[in-house]
Amino acid sequence: MSAVEKNSRRLSKEDILEKTAPLFASEGYDATSMRDLAKACGITPAALYHHFADKEQLYLEVLEYTFRRRIGRMGEALKGVEGFENKVRRVVEVLVDAVHDDELFLPMLRRELLVRDEKRLEYLATRVFAEPFREIMRVGRDLKPDNFKPSFLAASALALTIGHFTLEPVRRYLMPSDTPEDLRQTIIDHVTKLALEGMAKDRK
């Protein structure tokens, strides 16, 4: 038995998702072939097809695996958290940690938003973002019901946190003296304070 055949038997489906995600993140869907993906895993294309019907199925599962493990724990993270301010901070922490020092989440999200493939966007929305989105909207129940649209409130939370990391490569050149040693904590504190002060007058 060849080394490639032995490796294909050892690799689980999760192993394949882990090994192919960086290639999809760096090269994109169209520029990546099943041969490239199999090579990244150290297996044959035939072994790859044993787990996935085609490249599209593999890519969709990579998207779900990559995003859910980083942003899909919102409900679990909020369990037992009491008080509106603590809930807001926990939401921000989960969102920041999804993208902080991560080489997959932001590149893949940017690419999907630029490509605008409706099937993949719907897949991301329903299979990945729906659960954390609902959890963020639940936090907003502590606000007066007519002052914020729940879906816009959740979208703002995502935009504020993810947007900081998207713009950080530019911001640090605009204000290099403002660049903190602990970017993660600075963004958590800033976004939490901004959110709480902006919504303070709208609490029940």
Side-chain angles (χ1 to χ4, degrees):
M1 183 182 296
S2 70
V4 170
E5 290 173 326
K6 288 180 181 178
N7 194 37
S8 67
R9 292 195 175 192
R10 289 198 302 267
L11 283 181
S12 67
K13 197 171 184 179
E14 186 173 301
D15 291 331
I16 294 172
L17 297 176
E18 282 275 4
K19 290 177 180 295
T20 56
L23 192 57
F24 276 130
S26 63
E27 304 300 324
Y29 177 83
D30 291 333
T32 307
S33 69
M34 287 294 269
R35 186 175 297 277
D36 297 327
L37 296 162
K39 185 177 179 181
C41 297
I43 61 178
T44 65
L48 203 55
Y49 281 113
H50 175 72
H51 291 281
F52 304 93
D54 51 31
K55 185 174 73 168
E56 183 176 22
Q57 184 196 349
L58 171 56
Y59 183 65
L60 289 175
E61 293 199 31
V62 164
L63 284 178
E64 183 172 359
Y65 178 76
T66 299
F67 286 93
R68 282 188 66 84
R69 66 185 302 197
R70 289 165 174 80
I71 203 174
R73 64 184 185 91
M74 187 69 73
E76 180 183 341
L78 285 167
K79 283 182 180 177
V81 179
E82 299 292 337
F84 181 72
E85 293 187 11
N86 291 332
K87 289 178 182 178
V88 170
R89 176 171 286 274
R90 185 62 59 86
V91 165
V92 175
E93 287 174 344
V94 172
L95 295 177
V96 166
D97 285 339
V99 294
H100 178 61
D101 286 340
D102 185 84
E103 298 178 354
L104 299 176
F105 190 106
L106 273 181
M108 296 184 83
L109 180 60
R110 288 192 199 109
R111 197 180 298 279
E112 289 311 308
L113 293 176
L114 284 172
V115 172
R116 297 184 67 84
D117 180 286
E118 291 301 321
K119 180 179 180 180
R120 296 205 295 260
L121 289 174
E122 182 181 10
Y123 187 90
L124 274 177
T126 58
R127 298 289 293 270
V128 179
F129 284 97
E131 182 180 345
F133 206 76
R134 285 194 299 268
E135 293 298 333
I136 297 171
M137 288 194 292
R138 287 192 183 102
V139 172
R141 288 176 180 168
D142 289 337
L143 300 173
K144 292 179 181 178
D146 298 329
N147 287 9
F148 289 98
K149 291 181 181 296
S151 63
F152 278 73
L153 188 64
S156 293
L158 289 165
L160 277 171
T161 49
I162 295 173
H164 268 284
F165 287 95
T166 299
L167 293 173
E168 179 57 22
V170 173
R171 188 215 59 79
R172 67 171 181 254
Y173 286 108
L174 294 171
M175 291 292 291
S177 62
D178 245 4
T179 300
E181 290 186 11
D182 189 344
L183 181 64
R184 173 191 175 274
Q185 192 59 51
T186 299
I187 290 178
I188 288 172
D189 292 341
H190 171 76
V191 173
T192 301
K193 183 178 180 181
L194 188 65
L196 290 173
E197 290 185 359
M199 295 186 290
K201 295 180 181 180
D202 299 295
R203 296 286 305 281
K204 287 181 179 179

